[in-house]
Amino acid sequence: MTFARITGTGSYLPERVLSNADLEKMVDTSDEWITTRTGIRERRIAANGETTGDLAFHAATRALEAAGVKASELDAIVLGTTTPDLIFPSTACLLQSRLGANGCMAFDVNAACCGFMYALGIADKFIRAGQTKKALVVGSETLSRMTDWTDRNTCVLFGDGAGAVVLEADKEPGVLTTLLHADGGYADLLYNPVGVSKGFKEDGRHGNTIMMEGNKVFRVAVRALERLVDETIAAANMHADNVDWLIPHQANLRIIRATAERLQLPMDRVVITVDKHGNTSSGSVPLALDELIRTGKVQRGQNLLLEAFGGGFTWSSAMIRY
Ligand code: ACO
């Protein structure tokens, strides 16, 4: 049997830091409100002209270096993003050319905050099927480009960033299971109202910005993630106490705590980056994974549970033996 193994990770954050104190000068909010409700203290913002593809390139270069894999060896690039550089070509194709991996399969996946997790699930299936030997999986976003900086309900939550992993075919696991879910019935609770086919200026009420009913999203997210971690443990034929690390989507510290409680996992086994990064959507899980691996805390053979929840709604997970 063939499994996909993570052989290298990388991440990249733009230089500019936007703190809660900075936001206090922009909208009617406070550091106290933001930290209490979300756990976020600061986030990174891409420079003018710095794109999702730029962030992806830096993260991907670091992941390839860590894996000791040349870009020319890649069979596949799968990139999760909701904020592509262009409508087409895909950001994955632009990245492929910049890395010098020309010729391999390359495509974007739009699953909002689950973009990286969906990309991971797809790449895993290609490797298991024997069609791909080395895949680059990326999550990269510049959400700041579609944030309404006058809306305190949303602008305090989001940031820019990217993460990447190299997956290689191996006889040893590897990715044990991935679960991908969606329910488009919740589209109205979290969305961006403009697009190619609907038009870029909807009805004059909305701009190209994130619309969210945060409180309703919060309640559905907590329930969906609780069910999802149970489902993931069962799919991997494990028990909750087999999980060594939780690498959750970094949207809100309260949601992360609820998921950790469901797993009865102490918080020192949960990777937290939301305080420094905010919600970087598709960038969030691979950024947190890279941070964990580069600290050297995770041991080979340990079990990592990755999960995410986002617009769609989408929710998704992976159990990985590192
Ligand atoms: N500063 C101060 N007050 C604020 C702010 C702010 N930045 N934002 C909202 N408020 C106020 C509201 O106006 C409201 O005031 P009111 O009671 O006078 O009406 C009050 O705070 C409470 O608002 P709630 O929305 O009920 O606050 P809640 O505790 O739910 O926290 C939050 C809001 C942080 C958005 C939370 O609901 C959340 O994290 N939701 C989930 C977000 C998420 O996970 N999104 C999924 C991924 S995103 C993606 O896919 C792109």
Side-chain angles (χ1 to χ4, degrees), residues 27-30 33-34 37-38 40 82 111-114 141 143 146 151-158 190-191 210 212-219 221 249-255 279-282 309-314:
V27 289
D28 180 14
T29 191
S30 65
W33 191 96
I34 302 170
R37 301 287 177 126
T38 72
I40 302 169
T82 320
C113 294
C114 287
E141 302 276 10
L143 283 187
M146 60 173 181
D151 176 13
R152 71 175 184 173
N153 291 299
T154 53
C155 75
V156 301
L157 303 175
F158 301 110
L190 179 56
Y191 64 105
I210 299 163
M212 182 171 77
E213 291 196 45
N215 198 281
K216 289 183 185 165
V217 177
F218 185 95
R219 277 181 270 145
H249 176 45
Q250 309 284 323
N252 186 312
L253 189 54
R254 289 185 292 148
I255 298 177
N279 179 351
T280 57
S281 187
S282 297
F309 182 93
F313 287 151
T314 53

Side-chain angles (χ1 to χ4, degrees), residues 29-48:
T29 191
S30 65
D31 174 53
E32 199 267 333
W33 191 96
I34 302 170
T35 48
T36 314
R37 301 287 177 126
T38 72
I40 302 169
R41 295 183 184 278
E42 59 186 41
R43 67 289 290 146
R44 301 296 185 97
I45 305 294
N48 283 341

Side-chain angles (χ1 to χ4, degrees), residues 137 147 167 169 195 226 238-239 272:
V137 182
T147 298
L167 290 181
E226 284 179 351
M238 286 184 181
H239 300 287
I272 306 290

